[in-house]
Amino acid sequence: MNIFNFTDVEDNDKEYKYKILVYPNITFKKDLEKDSYVVVLGNIIRELNKIRDDLFFTIVSPSHINSLEFDNTEQMIIGDLAKIAYPNFMRGDFPAVELYRKLKWKENDYDIVYSHLPEHTGVLYNLFYNSTNISPAFIGYTHWTEFKEITNYAYNVQLAHNIVGLLQMSKCGINTQAQKDLVLKNAKEYFNDDVVSKLDKILEPQYLGWEIPKYEKQTTDKKIIVYNHRPHTYKNYPWFLEQMDKLWQKRKDFEVWVPLAESREREYITNEKFDRVGYFSKLSSCLVGVCCRQKYEGWAISATDGMSVGVPYLFSDDMSYRELADGAGIYYKDGDDLIDKIEELIDTPNLRNEWSDKALWRFKFSVWNEAIHQFNSMIDYAIDGLPMLKEDTDSYNKVVDFIHKKKSVTKKEILDYLGWGVRISFSGYRNRLRNEPTIKFTKNRYEVR
């Protein structure tokens, strides 16, 4: 028995004008609570709930995720998703049969599909429009694109699938403008200029909000340089170590904290592990952080973590990092410039403190309650484009009269009353019903006010 099938209190009379189905992008199945998609989605729902109360989310999940429990959420558990361990399989294995069965389209309605996995959005669109009577708007967020610049696959078809999925959406968020430009550049290898132009209108940079950290401020006499990214080649970690080796030859009065490293590759490296509070507390004691050049042109949550506790960051002078840090970032051109700037900060405490203040200023204007407005605007854009009957037809009037007569009905009761099946889209009727002043939508019913 699954305890999450039951709730102590359920407000079935709460009005929700719009229902959103959220499709996942799971890449860290070992601990779902730490998966970046889960963290981002939790922040989006939490902040949206502060500024509006008309949305209900059905979240497709491989298993129940505690951090995504809100009053206006439910989770649709798709067991097939839980069987997939390798991200490349996840992007290629669409759980059509189980998802179709659990959609229960005769009973449920979804106004918007919010897809976080573009590679599956094309088949999602096909599933809804050809196998149900639901015609939702599609929006999304693309967390990862397998550009040829960053992958070494012998055969990379995922990019084409990704773009096809993006083209089904009315809007889709992406980390940065620089990353969007990279998508458009690669799309030209597969599609003509008209398609690329359409893609340009769909993709829009949506900067992720900065987490408000819980921590205890720490100070130390140690000169700590932090590299709090994944210590992998795609993050340019080998290049970073080469620069630190050069600095170590000049002076041995610093250490480099690499919290995600499994081992200490150099004598100057430390890799202490902490819980989230301990991580931010340790981070607050660091002198400076470093972000190296990355071909992916994405957001650097590691840098926003550090800047949120006042750590100045040195960034490779790239467009994506300038989008992230703006005037609060320190930018270097090459390895020598990086070393010079690190030494300047080590040897000039007042300068370091000035940049710390700039980092905190940038954090103040980048937290989630500021960033959420981009995501809210995308939802409103999708709502404005929902299909609607243009006039009160005989069938529509029958639906209105039936709801008034019964006072409270399900979608299935309406369909049975009219004798409708999959070939007649119900979404146009639902969207026109939303304008009836005497009718309200609850989680699973149509009711008279």
Side-chain angles (χ1 to χ4, degrees):
M1 179 181 293
N2 186 346
I3 64 170
F4 298 110
N5 289 335
F6 304 92
T7 55
D8 294 330
V9 178
E10 184 175 359
D11 184 3
N12 289 319
D13 291 329
K14 175 72 171 70
E15 182 174 12
Y16 294 110
K17 287 189 175 182
Y18 306 100
K19 292 185 66 176
I20 301 177
L21 182 79
V22 184
Y23 194 80
N25 182 347
I26 301 294
T27 56
F28 195 63
K29 198 179 72 170
K30 182 171 66 175
D31 188 346
L32 290 176
E33 297 290 353
K34 294 181 180 177
D35 186 274
S36 58
Y37 148 79
V38 172
V39 174
V40 168
L41 180 61
N43 281 313
I44 290 172
I45 295 175
R46 186 177 298 106
E47 295 301 325
L48 282 172
N49 287 346
K50 294 176 182 178
I51 60 177
R52 62 192 302 169
D53 63 355
D54 58 347
L55 307 176
F56 187 88
F57 297 87
T58 299
I59 303 168
V60 176
S61 303
S63 59
H64 192 86
I65 302 170
N66 291 336
S67 63
L68 297 181
E69 285 187 60
F70 298 89
D71 290 342
N72 61 330
T73 66
E74 65 182 3
Q75 296 185 43
M76 180 188 293
I77 307 304
I78 302 295
D80 286 349
L81 291 174
K83 300 173 185 176
I84 301 170
Y86 181 50
N88 204 34
F89 292 163
M90 175 269 294
R91 296 184 186 105
D93 195 352
F94 179 64
V97 174
E98 186 178 5
L99 179 61
Y100 174 74
R101 178 168 55 84
K102 292 193 174 180
L103 283 175
K104 297 181 179 178
W105 59 268
K106 292 182 181 179
E107 303 169 22
N108 296 320
D109 264 307
Y110 302 101
D111 304 297
I112 296 171
V113 174
Y114 188 16
S115 174
H116 287 250
L117 188 61
E119 288 89 340
H120 285 186
T121 305
V123 285
L124 265 173
Y125 194 98
N126 173 68
L127 182 67
F128 271 96
Y129 276 79
N130 291 328
S131 299
T132 80
N133 67 353
I134 308 170
S135 306
F138 276 72
I139 58 175
Y141 197 90
T142 177
H143 296 258
W144 176 260
T145 309
E146 293 185 342
F147 305 117
K148 65 181 181 181
E149 290 89 346
I150 61 171
T151 59
N152 56 1
Y153 295 150
Y155 178 63
N156 188 352
V157 72
Q158 295 298 348
L159 177 60
H161 289 169
N162 182 290
I163 293 170
V164 168
L166 292 174
L167 290 168
Q168 311 310 314
M169 304 182 193
S170 57
K171 289 290 180 183
C172 184
I174 191 168
N175 277 180
T176 63
Q177 178 65 43
Q179 199 173 79
K180 173 181 173 178
D181 292 343
L182 200 52
V183 172
L184 297 177
K185 170 191 170 186
N186 280 273
K188 292 177 181 178
E189 295 190 17
Y190 297 89
F191 302 98
N192 62 33
D193 289 345
D194 289 340
V195 174
V196 175
S197 177
K198 179 180 178 182
L199 190 62
D200 186 18
K201 295 181 175 67
I202 292 169
L203 283 170
E204 57 181 29
Q206 289 181 348
Y207 303 130
L208 301 179
W210 296 24
E211 180 180 349
I212 298 176
K214 296 179 181 178
Y215 70 106
E216 296 180 4
K217 173 66 177 176
Q218 292 185 1
T219 58
T220 178
D221 292 332
K222 296 179 180 178
K223 302 176 179 67
I224 304 173
I225 302 167
V226 61
Y227 187 93
N228 56 325
H229 322 274
R230 294 178 181 178
H232 294 160
T233 300
Y234 79 93
K235 288 290 188 179
N236 238 332
Y237 183 59
W239 179 87
F240 170 75
L241 290 181
E242 289 177 13
Q243 312 318 309
M244 294 302 97
D245 288 344
K246 295 176 185 176
L247 184 59
W248 190 251
Q249 291 176 4
K250 294 180 64 176
R251 56 195 298 165
K252 293 180 170 58
D253 61 344
F254 68 93
E255 64 183 50
V256 177
W257 180 39
V258 189
L260 295 178
E262 295 300 324
S263 61
R264 298 178 57 200
E265 299 181 49
R266 303 287 195 276
E267 61 181 303
Y268 54 75
I269 285 179
T270 63
N271 64 340
E272 298 101 327
K273 306 289 192 293
F274 302 93
D275 61 17
R276 197 65 175 160
V277 174
Y279 161 72
F280 278 110
S281 298
K282 169 76 174 182
L283 198 53
S284 70
S285 71
C286 296
L287 188 144
V288 63
V290 177
C291 281
C292 301
R293 173 159 294 169
Q294 56 174 346
K295 296 178 181 178
Y296 188 60
E297 297 283 9
W299 205 245
I301 293 178
S302 48
T304 64
D305 283 351
M307 294 176 73
S308 73
V309 294
V311 180
Y313 264 74
L314 285 161
F315 297 95
S316 173
D317 194 1
D318 302 317
M319 180 178 170
S320 59
Y321 286 143
R322 287 191 175 273
E323 288 183 65
L324 185 153
D326 197 23
I330 310 168
Y331 303 95
Y332 63 88
K333 298 292 186 183
D334 52 31
D336 290 340
D337 193 28
L338 170 65
I339 290 173
D340 288 344
K341 285 182 165 63
I342 288 177
E343 288 201 278
E344 189 176 18
L345 291 170
I346 288 176
D347 297 331
T348 319
N350 288 340
L351 178 64
R352 187 269 173 196
N353 292 337
E354 288 178 16
W355 283 107
S356 175
D357 290 340
K358 291 180 181 180
L360 290 171
W361 176 87
R362 179 65 172 168
F363 160 70
K364 178 181 178 182
F365 293 99
S366 305
V367 291
W368 266 108
N369 62 2
E370 296 291 337
I372 195 59
H373 298 292
Q374 306 165 85
F375 297 84
N376 188 52
S377 294
M378 179 173 66
I379 290 173
D380 284 339
Y381 182 87
I383 288 171
D384 289 343
L386 291 176
M388 183 186 299
L389 289 179
K390 293 182 172 58
E391 59 184 17
D392 292 357
T393 63
D394 289 342
S395 294
Y396 176 77
N397 288 330
K398 286 182 180 180
V399 173
V400 174
D401 291 343
F402 183 66
I403 295 172
H404 282 136
K405 178 180 178 181
K406 295 292 186 178
K407 306 300 181 185
S408 176
V409 299
T410 64
K411 175 185 177 182
K412 186 176 186 305
E413 289 172 332
I414 295 174
L415 295 181
D416 289 345
Y417 169 68
L418 296 171
W420 287 356
V422 71
R423 295 304 172 193
I424 300 177
S425 175
F426 189 69
S427 296
Y429 291 83
R430 173 177 169 85
N431 294 327
R432 191 169 184 85
L433 284 171
R434 197 176 282 112
N435 295 330
E436 294 288 341
T438 58
I439 294 174
K440 72 174 183 178
F441 297 1
T442 61
K443 175 184 171 184
N444 293 314
R445 306 183 73 85
Y446 298 85
E447 301 186 354
V448 176
R449 294 185 186 276

